[in-house]
Amino acid sequence: LQRRPGESELHRPHRPRLFAAHAAGRMRAVVDAEERARTLDLIRRICLGLPETSERLSHGAPTFFVRGKRSFVMVLTDHHGDGRFAIWCAAPEGMQRLLVEADPERFFVPPYVGHRAWLGFRLDLGFAPDELAGMLEDAYAVVAPKKLVEAAARAGAAPVP
């Protein structure tokens, strides 16, 4: 990515490189493999910085768990051809509806887990790292036991790179 005037190398806002793909009669935004790897690395640093978290594949997607049992975030690429690079995450009560109604381009009700108030967030349309960190920390707080959430709060949660 090219730096814009006034941007330092360390403080460049996240702007994913996109290319258009035509499928099923519509254009889709798809992030290249290098950008997906950088974004997944950021997600890993945030999620694995929270107390007692782990990562493993679940249904073929990188998924983050609390105490190895309860998932709180999944990272999906072109799930069943939907053209999205996105996370599906647990969300606080009422948040799914609020965000999907406010910005349906970026937020969506994910299949399979949407009925449990999980939220879909498109990473391929760009995001601020602190926005992503906030969603991941909220997802953790929804799923994790109260003592772990308190420990994360005392530790200052996960630092955003």
Side-chain angles (χ1 to χ4, degrees):
L1 290 174
Q2 296 293 320
R3 283 188 294 178
R4 294 181 180 160
E7 289 180 355
S8 73
E9 187 63 31
L10 297 176
H11 295 97
R12 184 174 64 219
H14 188 283
R15 296 189 318 264
R17 287 180 280 175
L18 305 177
F19 62 91
H22 189 271
R26 66 177 197 251
M27 297 300 283
R28 301 184 306 165
V30 181
V31 178
D32 66 32
E34 186 178 304
E35 186 66 28
R36 285 193 313 269
R38 277 194 299 271
T39 301
L40 181 57
D41 184 55
L42 173 62
I43 292 168
R44 279 190 178 115
R45 287 193 314 261
I46 295 166
C47 290
L48 297 177
L50 296 165
E52 298 189 42
T53 56
S54 59
E55 176 190 1
R56 69 175 183 272
L57 290 179
S58 178
H59 304 283
T63 304
F64 297 87
F65 295 84
V66 175
R67 292 186 171 164
K69 296 178 183 174
R70 297 195 61 200
S71 62
F72 66 102
V73 176
M74 296 180 77
V75 182
L76 294 110
T77 302
D78 200 23
H79 183 261
H80 295 306
D82 69 3
R84 298 175 177 139
F85 174 51
I87 59 168
W88 297 357
C89 61
E93 188 174 334
M95 190 60 63
Q96 179 200 70
R97 182 176 178 180
L98 178 78
L99 292 174
V100 170
E101 287 177 2
D103 191 353
E105 287 290 317
R106 294 177 50 204
F107 299 98
F108 61 95
V109 177
Y112 311 112
V113 293
H115 69 281
R116 295 188 340 218
W118 276 46
L119 176 67
F121 176 62
R122 291 190 69 159
L123 301 167
D124 56 355
L125 298 181
F127 61 90
D130 58 342
E131 175 185 35
L132 177 61
M135 280 193 283
L136 298 173
E137 291 165 0
D138 285 350
Y140 175 84
V142 168
V143 171
K146 185 178 177 182
K147 286 185 179 187
L148 290 182
V149 174
E150 290 169 353
R154 282 191 305 274
V160 179

